[in-house]
Amino acid sequence: TQPGGGGEWERSGMTQTVATQRATIGQQPGLRRVARGCRRQPGGDKVIISVCLVNQAFAVGPDRDHPGLGAFHQVGKHQLLAAGQGDAGHRRPGQRVAQALRGFEFPVVGWSRTPREVEGITCHAGAEGLSAFLGASQVLVNLLPLTPDTENILNRDTLAQLRPGAYVINVARGAHLVDADLLALLDSGHLAGATLDVFRTEPLPAEHPFWQHRCITVTPHTSARTLRDESVAQIAGKIRALDRGESITGVVDPLRGY
């Protein structure tokens, strides 16, 4: 499908390039993806705004039916989770968001698939580091890729390990989250609230309980908008580079899932 009826593709020379390079693409193994430079910072602005709003205004006072809500205090006194992803040597959405939040003087911890070191951030990695990471987190920000290993990772067992009165922000993929488990932990008072930008079914069905739950903020999958002109130019450039036999960035590893 050509964005905008094909106008942007025409101006970038994309139509001609696609027409002449079909055979070349068919000979190249693997998948390619648009690089992050062609998208607004993935989740960044929305996460920062959400965390700041939680920090300043989420305390709702004691609640006899939801005691955990009254126990939520300023995020700055606790820990924040920013979960990472990506290849070694490339900047990751989780790392970018974590570093941005450090600029607001939030203490940050992070968890990723493989070990890494990020200045000013306490890093955990792998299955063995997940529990310690969750136990240190007052606000959970999910920016993980969706793979067989991360599907349903936000479930009753993992979310229950967060600090009492914790807050969940999911700007990654809807299938990371087990909806019923989140609702149960909100209703029990263990979790104070959630901001959700992604869902298993999109648009979110009108009858879904997320719409009516007073502790959930729903946003319409807008945390990282694609920059159309930059993306079209990048796609055309990668096709030409492949035709010249050059290596390109953004190659997907099918075994890893991203």
mmCIF file of all heavy atoms in Angstrom, residues 9-61:
data_model
loop_
_atom_site.group_PDB
_atom_site.id
_atom_site.type_symbol
_atom_site.label_atom_id
_atom_site.label_comp_id
_atom_site.label_asym_id
_atom_site.label_seq_id
_atom_site.Cartn_x
_atom_site.Cartn_y
_atom_site.Cartn_z
ATOM 1 N N TRP A 9 5.725 8.387 -2.194
ATOM 2 C CA TRP A 9 6.536 7.390 -2.890
ATOM 3 C C TRP A 9 7.016 7.953 -4.229
ATOM 4 O O TRP A 9 8.163 7.750 -4.614
ATOM 5 C CB TRP A 9 5.726 6.123 -3.124
ATOM 6 C CG TRP A 9 5.496 5.317 -1.896
ATOM 7 C CD1 TRP A 9 5.115 5.776 -0.673
ATOM 8 C CD2 TRP A 9 5.652 3.907 -1.766
ATOM 9 N NE1 TRP A 9 5.002 4.746 0.210
ATOM 10 C CE2 TRP A 9 5.320 3.582 -0.435
ATOM 11 C CE3 TRP A 9 6.007 2.893 -2.652
ATOM 12 C CZ2 TRP A 9 5.353 2.287 0.036
ATOM 13 C CZ3 TRP A 9 6.037 1.593 -2.179
ATOM 14 C CH2 TRP A 9 5.722 1.295 -0.855
ATOM 15 N N GLU A 10 6.137 8.655 -4.931
ATOM 16 C CA GLU A 10 6.514 9.209 -6.223
ATOM 17 C C GLU A 10 7.642 10.219 -6.068
ATOM 18 O O GLU A 10 8.617 10.209 -6.815
ATOM 19 C CB GLU A 10 5.306 9.899 -6.872
ATOM 20 C CG GLU A 10 4.168 8.955 -7.225
ATOM 21 C CD GLU A 10 4.460 8.123 -8.462
ATOM 22 O OE1 GLU A 10 5.491 8.369 -9.110
ATOM 23 O OE2 GLU A 10 3.660 7.222 -8.767
ATOM 24 N N ARG A 11 7.507 11.112 -5.072
ATOM 25 C CA ARG A 11 8.510 12.167 -4.909
ATOM 26 C C ARG A 11 9.872 11.609 -4.531
ATOM 27 O O ARG A 11 10.902 12.166 -4.868
ATOM 28 C CB ARG A 11 8.040 13.162 -3.843
ATOM 29 C CG ARG A 11 6.894 14.048 -4.321
ATOM 30 C CD ARG A 11 6.732 15.233 -3.394
ATOM 31 N NE ARG A 11 6.316 14.840 -2.057
ATOM 32 C CZ ARG A 11 5.048 14.672 -1.701
ATOM 33 N NH1 ARG A 11 4.081 14.838 -2.596
ATOM 34 N NH2 ARG A 11 4.733 14.348 -0.472
ATOM 35 N N SER A 12 9.892 10.488 -3.803
ATOM 36 C CA SER A 12 11.174 9.939 -3.372
ATOM 37 C C SER A 12 11.784 9.004 -4.418
ATOM 38 O O SER A 12 12.891 8.523 -4.239
ATOM 39 C CB SER A 12 10.983 9.141 -2.073
ATOM 40 O OG SER A 12 10.241 7.975 -2.333
ATOM 41 N N GLY A 13 11.064 8.739 -5.487
ATOM 42 C CA GLY A 13 11.549 7.780 -6.465
ATOM 43 C C GLY A 13 11.273 6.349 -6.070
ATOM 44 O O GLY A 13 11.779 5.413 -6.672
ATOM 45 N N MET A 14 10.443 6.166 -5.023
ATOM 46 C CA MET A 14 10.187 4.825 -4.510
ATOM 47 C C MET A 14 9.465 3.957 -5.523
ATOM 48 O O MET A 14 9.765 2.768 -5.645
ATOM 49 C CB MET A 14 9.355 4.935 -3.223
ATOM 50 C CG MET A 14 9.156 3.610 -2.516
ATOM 51 S SD MET A 14 10.713 2.945 -1.912
ATOM 52 C CE MET A 14 10.113 1.562 -0.942
ATOM 53 N N THR A 15 8.514 4.514 -6.270
ATOM 54 C CA THR A 15 7.746 3.715 -7.220
ATOM 55 C C THR A 15 8.666 3.073 -8.248
ATOM 56 O O THR A 15 8.598 1.876 -8.523
ATOM 57 C CB THR A 15 6.696 4.592 -7.927
ATOM 58 O OG1 THR A 15 5.838 5.154 -6.947
ATOM 59 C CG2 THR A 15 5.877 3.768 -8.905
ATOM 60 N N GLN A 16 9.572 3.848 -8.822
ATOM 61 C CA GLN A 16 10.489 3.318 -9.822
ATOM 62 C C GLN A 16 11.431 2.300 -9.207
ATOM 63 O O GLN A 16 11.723 1.257 -9.795
ATOM 64 C CB GLN A 16 11.296 4.471 -10.447
ATOM 65 C CG GLN A 16 12.284 3.985 -11.509
ATOM 66 C CD GLN A 16 13.066 5.142 -12.118
ATOM 67 O OE1 GLN A 16 12.851 6.298 -11.762
ATOM 68 N NE2 GLN A 16 13.949 4.822 -13.029
ATOM 69 N N THR A 17 11.914 2.602 -7.991
ATOM 70 C CA THR A 17 12.856 1.689 -7.351
ATOM 71 C C THR A 17 12.220 0.332 -7.082
ATOM 72 O O THR A 17 12.803 -0.706 -7.354
ATOM 73 C CB THR A 17 13.353 2.293 -6.017
ATOM 74 O OG1 THR A 17 13.951 3.552 -6.278
ATOM 75 C CG2 THR A 17 14.360 1.373 -5.357
ATOM 76 N N VAL A 18 10.994 0.343 -6.542
ATOM 77 C CA VAL A 18 10.310 -0.914 -6.266
ATOM 78 C C VAL A 18 10.081 -1.692 -7.548
ATOM 79 O O VAL A 18 10.284 -2.902 -7.617
ATOM 80 C CB VAL A 18 8.976 -0.636 -5.541
ATOM 81 C CG1 VAL A 18 8.143 -1.909 -5.472
ATOM 82 C CG2 VAL A 18 9.234 -0.105 -4.138
ATOM 83 N N ALA A 19 9.690 -0.993 -8.605
ATOM 84 C CA ALA A 19 9.389 -1.666 -9.865
ATOM 85 C C ALA A 19 10.616 -2.339 -10.451
ATOM 86 O O ALA A 19 10.523 -3.395 -11.072
ATOM 87 C CB ALA A 19 8.817 -0.653 -10.862
ATOM 88 N N THR A 20 11.788 -1.732 -10.263
ATOM 89 C CA THR A 20 12.987 -2.270 -10.900
ATOM 90 C C THR A 20 13.775 -3.220 -10.011
ATOM 91 O O THR A 20 14.683 -3.898 -10.486
ATOM 92 C CB THR A 20 13.916 -1.111 -11.322
ATOM 93 O OG1 THR A 20 14.223 -0.322 -10.168
ATOM 94 C CG2 THR A 20 13.246 -0.241 -12.362
ATOM 95 N N GLN A 21 13.435 -3.280 -8.689
ATOM 96 C CA GLN A 21 14.260 -4.066 -7.786
ATOM 97 C C GLN A 21 13.538 -5.263 -7.189
ATOM 98 O O GLN A 21 13.996 -5.864 -6.243
ATOM 99 C CB GLN A 21 14.770 -3.176 -6.628
ATOM 100 C CG GLN A 21 15.512 -1.930 -7.083
ATOM 101 C CD GLN A 21 16.707 -2.275 -7.933
ATOM 102 O OE1 GLN A 21 17.294 -3.348 -7.783
ATOM 103 N NE2 GLN A 21 17.085 -1.388 -8.830
ATOM 104 N N ARG A 22 12.375 -5.642 -7.726
ATOM 105 C CA ARG A 22 11.636 -6.760 -7.152
ATOM 106 C C ARG A 22 12.483 -8.038 -7.121
ATOM 107 O O ARG A 22 12.488 -8.779 -6.147
ATOM 108 C CB ARG A 22 10.355 -7.014 -7.953
ATOM 109 C CG ARG A 22 9.330 -5.902 -7.826
ATOM 110 C CD ARG A 22 8.081 -6.230 -8.617
ATOM 111 N NE ARG A 22 7.163 -5.121 -8.651
ATOM 112 C CZ ARG A 22 6.265 -4.865 -7.730
ATOM 113 N NH1 ARG A 22 6.200 -5.638 -6.674
ATOM 114 N NH2 ARG A 22 5.455 -3.829 -7.840
ATOM 115 N N ALA A 23 13.195 -8.305 -8.199
ATOM 116 C CA ALA A 23 13.993 -9.536 -8.259
ATOM 117 C C ALA A 23 15.097 -9.511 -7.218
ATOM 118 O O ALA A 23 15.379 -10.512 -6.559
ATOM 119 C CB ALA A 23 14.596 -9.698 -9.665
ATOM 120 N N THR A 24 15.735 -8.332 -7.033
ATOM 121 C CA THR A 24 16.817 -8.225 -6.060
ATOM 122 C C THR A 24 16.325 -8.519 -4.655
ATOM 123 O O THR A 24 16.947 -9.273 -3.905
ATOM 124 C CB THR A 24 17.424 -6.805 -6.105
ATOM 125 O OG1 THR A 24 17.939 -6.579 -7.408
ATOM 126 C CG2 THR A 24 18.539 -6.668 -5.086
ATOM 127 N N ILE A 25 15.183 -7.931 -4.281
ATOM 128 C CA ILE A 25 14.648 -8.151 -2.946
ATOM 129 C C ILE A 25 14.313 -9.617 -2.743
ATOM 130 O O ILE A 25 14.544 -10.198 -1.685
ATOM 131 C CB ILE A 25 13.396 -7.283 -2.722
ATOM 132 C CG1 ILE A 25 13.787 -5.807 -2.786
ATOM 133 C CG2 ILE A 25 12.740 -7.597 -1.386
ATOM 134 C CD1 ILE A 25 14.801 -5.395 -1.767
ATOM 135 N N GLY A 26 13.772 -10.240 -3.752
ATOM 136 C CA GLY A 26 13.409 -11.635 -3.631
ATOM 137 C C GLY A 26 14.599 -12.540 -3.406
ATOM 138 O O GLY A 26 14.472 -13.634 -2.872
ATOM 139 N N GLN A 27 15.801 -12.091 -3.813
ATOM 140 C CA GLN A 27 16.997 -12.903 -3.658
ATOM 141 C C GLN A 27 17.665 -12.691 -2.305
ATOM 142 O O GLN A 27 18.578 -13.418 -1.947
ATOM 143 C CB GLN A 27 18.000 -12.558 -4.769
ATOM 144 C CG GLN A 27 17.500 -12.931 -6.160
ATOM 145 C CD GLN A 27 18.371 -12.350 -7.242
ATOM 146 O OE1 GLN A 27 19.379 -11.715 -6.954
ATOM 147 N NE2 GLN A 27 17.989 -12.563 -8.495
ATOM 148 N N GLN A 28 17.238 -11.680 -1.544
ATOM 149 C CA GLN A 28 17.889 -11.359 -0.286
ATOM 150 C C GLN A 28 17.176 -12.064 0.868
ATOM 151 O O GLN A 28 15.981 -11.883 1.062
ATOM 152 C CB GLN A 28 17.851 -9.839 -0.050
ATOM 153 C CG GLN A 28 18.567 -9.035 -1.122
ATOM 154 C CD GLN A 28 20.057 -9.280 -1.078
ATOM 155 O OE1 GLN A 28 20.616 -9.581 -0.041
ATOM 156 N NE2 GLN A 28 20.709 -9.158 -2.224
ATOM 157 N N PRO A 29 17.898 -12.897 1.641
ATOM 158 C CA PRO A 29 17.256 -13.591 2.763
ATOM 159 C C PRO A 29 16.973 -12.644 3.920
ATOM 160 O O PRO A 29 17.636 -11.632 4.086
ATOM 161 C CB PRO A 29 18.298 -14.639 3.155
ATOM 162 C CG PRO A 29 19.613 -14.007 2.768
ATOM 163 C CD PRO A 29 19.321 -13.219 1.519
ATOM 164 N N GLY A 30 15.980 -13.027 4.742
ATOM 165 C CA GLY A 30 15.730 -12.281 5.966
ATOM 166 C C GLY A 30 14.805 -11.102 5.778
ATOM 167 O O GLY A 30 14.384 -10.770 4.681
ATOM 168 N N LEU A 31 14.472 -10.460 6.903
ATOM 169 C CA LEU A 31 13.595 -9.306 6.925
ATOM 170 C C LEU A 31 14.380 -8.071 7.300
ATOM 171 O O LEU A 31 15.380 -8.136 7.999
ATOM 172 C CB LEU A 31 12.469 -9.519 7.944
ATOM 173 C CG LEU A 31 11.549 -10.715 7.709
ATOM 174 C CD1 LEU A 31 10.616 -10.878 8.896
ATOM 175 C CD2 LEU A 31 10.770 -10.547 6.419
ATOM 176 N N ARG A 32 13.892 -6.921 6.796
ATOM 177 C CA ARG A 32 14.498 -5.646 7.148
ATOM 178 C C ARG A 32 13.432 -4.779 7.790
ATOM 179 O O ARG A 32 12.249 -4.911 7.506
ATOM 180 C CB ARG A 32 15.059 -4.917 5.921
ATOM 181 C CG ARG A 32 16.450 -5.389 5.516
ATOM 182 C CD ARG A 32 16.416 -6.704 4.818
ATOM 183 N NE ARG A 32 17.751 -7.165 4.469
ATOM 184 C CZ ARG A 32 18.000 -8.349 3.966
ATOM 185 N NH1 ARG A 32 17.022 -9.203 3.749
ATOM 186 N NH2 ARG A 32 19.235 -8.713 3.677
ATOM 187 N N ARG A 33 13.869 -3.865 8.635
ATOM 188 C CA ARG A 33 12.923 -2.993 9.297
ATOM 189 C C ARG A 33 13.363 -1.546 9.159
ATOM 190 O O ARG A 33 14.544 -1.258 8.933
ATOM 191 C CB ARG A 33 12.809 -3.346 10.785
ATOM 192 C CG ARG A 33 14.090 -3.235 11.534
ATOM 193 C CD ARG A 33 13.926 -3.586 12.977
ATOM 194 N NE ARG A 33 12.964 -2.701 13.620
ATOM 195 C CZ ARG A 33 12.774 -2.687 14.928
ATOM 196 N NH1 ARG A 33 13.437 -3.509 15.715
ATOM 197 N NH2 ARG A 33 11.898 -1.862 15.469
ATOM 198 N N VAL A 34 12.402 -0.639 9.300
ATOM 199 C CA VAL A 34 12.717 0.785 9.287
ATOM 200 C C VAL A 34 13.429 1.134 10.581
ATOM 201 O O VAL A 34 13.006 0.740 11.660
ATOM 202 C CB VAL A 34 11.430 1.614 9.142
ATOM 203 C CG1 VAL A 34 11.719 3.089 9.278
ATOM 204 C CG2 VAL A 34 10.779 1.332 7.799
ATOM 205 N N ALA A 35 14.521 1.874 10.486
ATOM 206 C CA ALA A 35 15.317 2.210 11.657
ATOM 207 C C ALA A 35 14.591 3.217 12.531
ATOM 208 O O ALA A 35 13.696 3.928 12.097
ATOM 209 C CB ALA A 35 16.678 2.772 11.232
ATOM 210 N N ARG A 36 15.022 3.309 13.781
ATOM 211 C CA ARG A 36 14.358 4.149 14.753
ATOM 212 C C ARG A 36 14.421 5.624 14.399
ATOM 213 O O ARG A 36 13.609 6.405 14.853
ATOM 214 C CB ARG A 36 14.989 3.939 16.134
ATOM 215 C CG ARG A 36 14.745 2.554 16.698
ATOM 216 C CD ARG A 36 13.280 2.332 17.007
ATOM 217 N NE ARG A 36 13.067 0.995 17.553
ATOM 218 C CZ ARG A 36 11.900 0.516 17.883
ATOM 219 N NH1 ARG A 36 10.812 1.224 17.679
ATOM 220 N NH2 ARG A 36 11.780 -0.699 18.381
ATOM 221 N N GLY A 37 15.398 6.031 13.592
ATOM 222 C CA GLY A 37 15.501 7.432 13.228
ATOM 223 C C GLY A 37 14.316 7.935 12.436
ATOM 224 O O GLY A 37 14.129 9.140 12.270
ATOM 225 N N CYS A 38 13.501 7.021 11.924
ATOM 226 C CA CYS A 38 12.328 7.394 11.148
ATOM 227 C C CYS A 38 11.051 7.333 11.979
ATOM 228 O O CYS A 38 9.957 7.344 11.456
ATOM 229 C CB CYS A 38 12.192 6.498 9.924
ATOM 230 S SG CYS A 38 13.473 6.804 8.699
ATOM 231 N N ARG A 39 11.216 7.249 13.278
ATOM 232 C CA ARG A 39 10.062 7.291 14.163
ATOM 233 C C ARG A 39 10.368 8.263 15.290
ATOM 234 O O ARG A 39 11.517 8.406 15.705
ATOM 235 C CB ARG A 39 9.777 5.910 14.761
ATOM 236 C CG ARG A 39 9.491 4.837 13.742
ATOM 237 C CD ARG A 39 9.262 3.519 14.413
ATOM 238 N NE ARG A 39 8.031 3.504 15.179
ATOM 239 C CZ ARG A 39 7.722 2.518 16.036
ATOM 240 N NH1 ARG A 39 8.557 1.525 16.220
ATOM 241 N NH2 ARG A 39 6.582 2.553 16.675
ATOM 242 N N ARG A 40 9.335 8.924 15.772
ATOM 243 C CA ARG A 40 9.525 9.716 16.964
ATOM 244 C C ARG A 40 9.949 8.781 18.076
ATOM 245 O O ARG A 40 9.616 7.606 18.069
ATOM 246 C CB ARG A 40 8.237 10.441 17.347
ATOM 247 C CG ARG A 40 7.759 11.393 16.252
ATOM 248 C CD ARG A 40 6.596 12.225 16.736
ATOM 249 N NE ARG A 40 6.004 12.986 15.646
ATOM 250 C CZ ARG A 40 6.484 14.122 15.167
ATOM 251 N NH1 ARG A 40 7.589 14.632 15.694
ATOM 252 N NH2 ARG A 40 5.889 14.748 14.177
ATOM 253 N N GLN A 41 10.709 9.298 19.046
ATOM 254 C CA GLN A 41 11.278 8.452 20.086
ATOM 255 C C GLN A 41 10.250 7.453 20.595
ATOM 256 O O GLN A 41 9.228 7.846 21.143
ATOM 257 C CB GLN A 41 11.773 9.307 21.251
ATOM 258 C CG GLN A 41 12.390 8.480 22.371
ATOM 259 C CD GLN A 41 13.026 9.350 23.423
ATOM 260 O OE1 GLN A 41 13.540 10.417 23.138
ATOM 261 N NE2 GLN A 41 12.988 8.903 24.660
ATOM 262 N N PRO A 42 10.493 6.128 20.418
ATOM 263 C CA PRO A 42 9.480 5.126 20.748
ATOM 264 C C PRO A 42 9.058 5.184 22.209
ATOM 265 O O PRO A 42 9.796 4.804 23.094
ATOM 266 C CB PRO A 42 10.192 3.809 20.416
ATOM 267 C CG PRO A 42 11.254 4.177 19.446
ATOM 268 C CD PRO A 42 11.702 5.551 19.851
ATOM 269 N N GLY A 43 7.846 5.645 22.430
ATOM 270 C CA GLY A 43 7.312 5.671 23.773
ATOM 271 C C GLY A 43 7.839 6.790 24.641
ATOM 272 O O GLY A 43 7.333 7.020 25.734
ATOM 273 N N GLY A 44 8.858 7.499 24.194
ATOM 274 C CA GLY A 44 9.576 8.423 25.052
ATOM 275 C C GLY A 44 8.731 9.531 25.634
ATOM 276 O O GLY A 44 8.613 9.665 26.854
ATOM 277 N N ASP A 45 8.128 10.347 24.770
ATOM 278 C CA ASP A 45 7.341 11.474 25.258
ATOM 279 C C ASP A 45 6.172 11.000 26.110
ATOM 280 O O ASP A 45 5.886 11.572 27.162
ATOM 281 C CB ASP A 45 6.823 12.308 24.087
ATOM 282 C CG ASP A 45 7.949 12.996 23.325
ATOM 283 O OD1 ASP A 45 9.059 13.079 23.885
ATOM 284 O OD2 ASP A 45 7.714 13.437 22.188
ATOM 285 N N LYS A 46 5.488 9.958 25.655
ATOM 286 C CA LYS A 46 4.311 9.480 26.390
ATOM 287 C C LYS A 46 4.711 8.928 27.744
ATOM 288 O O LYS A 46 4.025 9.150 28.746
ATOM 289 C CB LYS A 46 3.576 8.422 25.578
ATOM 290 C CG LYS A 46 2.351 7.858 26.276
ATOM 291 C CD LYS A 46 1.391 7.232 25.295
ATOM 292 C CE LYS A 46 0.739 8.286 24.435
ATOM 293 N NZ LYS A 46 -0.286 7.712 23.529
ATOM 294 N N VAL A 47 5.825 8.198 27.806
ATOM 295 C CA VAL A 47 6.279 7.645 29.081
ATOM 296 C C VAL A 47 6.646 8.767 30.044
ATOM 297 O O VAL A 47 6.260 8.747 31.228
ATOM 298 C CB VAL A 47 7.475 6.700 28.861
ATOM 299 C CG1 VAL A 47 8.135 6.361 30.192
ATOM 300 C CG2 VAL A 47 7.028 5.431 28.159
ATOM 301 N N ILE A 48 7.400 9.751 29.571
ATOM 302 C CA ILE A 48 7.828 10.842 30.445
ATOM 303 C C ILE A 48 6.620 11.600 30.984
ATOM 304 O O ILE A 48 6.529 11.896 32.184
ATOM 305 C CB ILE A 48 8.774 11.787 29.684
ATOM 306 C CG1 ILE A 48 10.097 11.060 29.391
ATOM 307 C CG2 ILE A 48 9.039 13.059 30.494
ATOM 308 C CD1 ILE A 48 10.988 11.774 28.417
ATOM 309 N N ILE A 49 5.665 11.907 30.117
ATOM 310 C CA ILE A 49 4.459 12.607 30.567
ATOM 311 C C ILE A 49 3.697 11.758 31.580
ATOM 312 O O ILE A 49 3.252 12.253 32.621
ATOM 313 C CB ILE A 49 3.564 12.952 29.362
ATOM 314 C CG1 ILE A 49 4.247 14.019 28.492
ATOM 315 C CG2 ILE A 49 2.195 13.443 29.829
ATOM 316 C CD1 ILE A 49 3.564 14.258 27.168
ATOM 317 N N SER A 50 3.557 10.458 31.287
ATOM 318 C CA SER A 50 2.806 9.580 32.192
ATOM 319 C C SER A 50 3.475 9.496 33.557
ATOM 320 O O SER A 50 2.810 9.572 34.601
ATOM 321 C CB SER A 50 2.679 8.177 31.579
ATOM 322 O OG SER A 50 1.945 8.212 30.375
ATOM 323 N N VAL A 51 4.793 9.338 33.570
ATOM 324 C CA VAL A 51 5.507 9.228 34.844
ATOM 325 C C VAL A 51 5.394 10.527 35.635
ATOM 326 O O VAL A 51 5.168 10.515 36.853
ATOM 327 C CB VAL A 51 6.981 8.856 34.603
ATOM 328 C CG1 VAL A 51 7.772 8.966 35.906
ATOM 329 C CG2 VAL A 51 7.088 7.443 34.053
ATOM 330 N N CYS A 52 5.520 11.656 34.950
ATOM 331 C CA CYS A 52 5.416 12.939 35.653
ATOM 332 C C CYS A 52 4.013 13.144 36.217
ATOM 333 O O CYS A 52 3.851 13.647 37.337
ATOM 334 C CB CYS A 52 5.792 14.081 34.712
ATOM 335 S SG CYS A 52 7.561 14.147 34.316
ATOM 336 N N LEU A 53 2.989 12.752 35.463
ATOM 337 C CA LEU A 53 1.622 12.869 35.969
ATOM 338 C C LEU A 53 1.405 11.958 37.178
ATOM 339 O O LEU A 53 0.772 12.347 38.159
ATOM 340 C CB LEU A 53 0.620 12.521 34.867
ATOM 341 C CG LEU A 53 0.476 13.557 33.743
ATOM 342 C CD1 LEU A 53 -0.416 13.012 32.640
ATOM 343 C CD2 LEU A 53 -0.088 14.865 34.273
ATOM 344 N N VAL A 54 1.929 10.738 37.087
ATOM 345 C CA VAL A 54 1.820 9.823 38.221
ATOM 346 C C VAL A 54 2.528 10.407 39.432
ATOM 347 O O VAL A 54 2.025 10.407 40.556
ATOM 348 C CB VAL A 54 2.433 8.452 37.861
ATOM 349 C CG1 VAL A 54 2.563 7.578 39.104
ATOM 350 C CG2 VAL A 54 1.574 7.748 36.826
ATOM 351 N N ASN A 55 3.699 10.963 39.203
ATOM 352 C CA ASN A 55 4.518 11.494 40.287
ATOM 353 C C ASN A 55 3.817 12.632 41.014
ATOM 354 O O ASN A 55 3.881 12.758 42.231
ATOM 355 C CB ASN A 55 5.846 11.986 39.718
ATOM 356 C CG ASN A 55 6.800 12.422 40.809
ATOM 357 O OD1 ASN A 55 6.961 11.736 41.807
ATOM 358 N ND2 ASN A 55 7.426 13.560 40.625
ATOM 359 N N GLN A 56 3.109 13.472 40.269
ATOM 360 C CA GLN A 56 2.530 14.674 40.857
ATOM 361 C C GLN A 56 1.093 14.510 41.319
ATOM 362 O O GLN A 56 0.662 15.182 42.248
ATOM 363 C CB GLN A 56 2.595 15.821 39.837
ATOM 364 C CG GLN A 56 4.017 16.227 39.481
ATOM 365 C CD GLN A 56 4.811 16.694 40.694
ATOM 366 O OE1 GLN A 56 4.273 17.349 41.570
ATOM 367 N NE2 GLN A 56 6.078 16.346 40.748
ATOM 368 N N ALA A 57 0.317 13.637 40.658
ATOM 369 C CA ALA A 57 -1.121 13.713 40.880
ATOM 370 C C ALA A 57 -1.824 12.389 41.106
ATOM 371 O O ALA A 57 -3.049 12.372 41.201
ATOM 372 C CB ALA A 57 -1.766 14.417 39.688
ATOM 373 N N PHE A 58 -1.103 11.270 41.220
ATOM 374 C CA PHE A 58 -1.816 10.008 41.273
ATOM 375 C C PHE A 58 -2.318 9.652 42.659
ATOM 376 O O PHE A 58 -3.266 8.898 42.791
ATOM 377 C CB PHE A 58 -0.944 8.870 40.739
ATOM 378 C CG PHE A 58 -1.750 7.619 40.530
ATOM 379 C CD1 PHE A 58 -2.564 7.487 39.411
ATOM 380 C CD2 PHE A 58 -1.725 6.598 41.458
ATOM 381 C CE1 PHE A 58 -3.319 6.354 39.223
ATOM 382 C CE2 PHE A 58 -2.471 5.463 41.271
ATOM 383 C CZ PHE A 58 -3.269 5.337 40.154
ATOM 384 N N ALA A 59 -1.693 10.187 43.712
ATOM 385 C CA ALA A 59 -2.139 9.840 45.060
ATOM 386 C C ALA A 59 -3.600 10.251 45.225
ATOM 387 O O ALA A 59 -3.956 11.405 45.071
ATOM 388 C CB ALA A 59 -1.273 10.539 46.092
ATOM 389 N N VAL A 60 -4.451 9.297 45.505
ATOM 390 C CA VAL A 60 -5.889 9.565 45.542
ATOM 391 C C VAL A 60 -6.464 9.482 46.944
ATOM 392 O O VAL A 60 -7.669 9.607 47.132
ATOM 393 C CB VAL A 60 -6.637 8.565 44.635
ATOM 394 C CG1 VAL A 60 -6.225 8.742 43.206
ATOM 395 C CG2 VAL A 60 -6.398 7.130 45.104
ATOM 396 N N GLY A 61 -5.623 9.266 47.940
ATOM 397 C CA GLY A 61 -6.116 9.198 49.307
ATOM 398 C C GLY A 61 -6.549 7.795 49.683
ATOM 399 O O GLY A 61 -6.647 6.912 48.846
#
